[in-house]
Amino acid sequence: MAATRSTGRRERLRAETTADIKRTALELMRAGGPDAITLRAIAREMGMTANAIYGYFATRDDLVTALIADVYTVLADAVDAAWAASAEDAPAQRVQAWAHAFRDWALANPEGFRLVYGDPVPGYRAPEGGAAPDAARRVCVAIAGLADAAWGAAGQVYGEDDFGWGDFDPGLLEKVRPAFPGLPPAGVALALRIWGHLHGLVALEVYGHLRAQTLSPNKIFHAELTSLVRSLGLVA
């Protein structure tokens, strides 16, 4: 019994220290950018020896991979929850719910947004298949789901666009086509265009460019989202 309690205590302390290392890495990134994420710098901030921190992450790349997997999974969970919660709503409201969940995550996790969608960590090499393949697949399928939900109306506007399956990366199609077999190539293109609208405006806000130009970034986002929904042929 005593051995079990001791093992449980060690596991709990290890989990707490691992979480502290990740938190410190993101704080260093917030202050100094992606270059600031080094195991030695983290050890120094935490009052640990470099050798001690290597017991948690063998390399800096292992730590970065863990960080990306964490924040990407939180994003996937957030947008999936928003989509599920709006299941009974009209397509326009579902698109808006997803978009707001994405923006809320990005503003609450700016370093996470930068790790996933922005600044590459210099010299970082992701493992084969990517740092967070499941989360990346979920978000990719969710974005295609926005186009699929809107396609009944949007297809009247975009259905004749000149796209074929050969215009897309096979890896993208492997994720999207099984999930939405009725979505044509023009619909996949529309998904990427929707993503461009949402990602672009959120990126401006995360990096501080939008707030330097307006005191009401929330109103700008809402207006752009309303315009996007209307461009899909949906009632905002």
Side-chain angles (χ1 to χ4, degrees), residues 35-227:
D35 288 7
I37 300 179
T38 70
L39 294 185
R40 289 187 178 277
I42 294 167
R44 185 168 57 249
E45 288 291 318
M46 295 182 62
M48 298 173 65
T49 66
N51 285 339
I53 207 164
Y54 286 122
Y56 293 87
F57 294 98
T59 69
R60 189 282 310 265
D61 282 4
D62 289 339
L63 170 58
V64 173
T65 295
L67 289 173
I68 294 173
D70 283 355
V71 297
Y72 216 160
T73 299
V74 171
L75 167 60
D77 289 345
V79 294
D80 281 353
W83 191 251
S86 65
E88 301 301 319
D89 295 339
Q93 283 66 53
R94 301 200 75 191
V95 171
Q96 290 172 322
W98 194 98
H100 281 297
F102 171 66
R103 176 175 180 257
D104 289 347
W105 167 82
L107 296 182
N109 302 275
E111 286 71 43
F113 180 93
R114 294 173 65 184
L115 279 173
V116 174
Y117 295 119
D119 309 318
V121 178
Y124 170 67
R125 298 184 64 179
E128 185 176 354
D134 179 65
R137 178 194 58 77
R138 289 166 59 194
V139 173
C140 178
V141 170
I143 293 167
L146 302 180
D148 185 70
W151 192 248
Q156 305 302 311
V157 181
Y158 301 98
E160 298 303 318
D161 285 358
D162 184 21
F163 288 99
W165 296 121
D167 291 316
F168 304 101
D169 177 75
L172 171 66
L173 298 180
E174 286 175 5
K175 300 179 182 74
V176 171
R177 294 190 72 182
F180 306 105
L183 193 65
V188 177
L190 179 61
L192 296 178
R193 294 159 75 174
I194 293 171
W195 177 232
H197 276 275
L198 300 178
H199 178 275
L201 199 57
V202 169
L204 286 175
E205 192 169 2
V206 168
Y207 280 87
H209 302 306
L210 194 60
R211 190 167 289 279
Q213 309 298 327
T214 177
L215 300 179
S216 303
N218 189 59
K219 290 177 68 175
I220 297 291
F221 184 81
H222 181 74
E224 176 64 13
L225 186 54
T226 299
S227 177

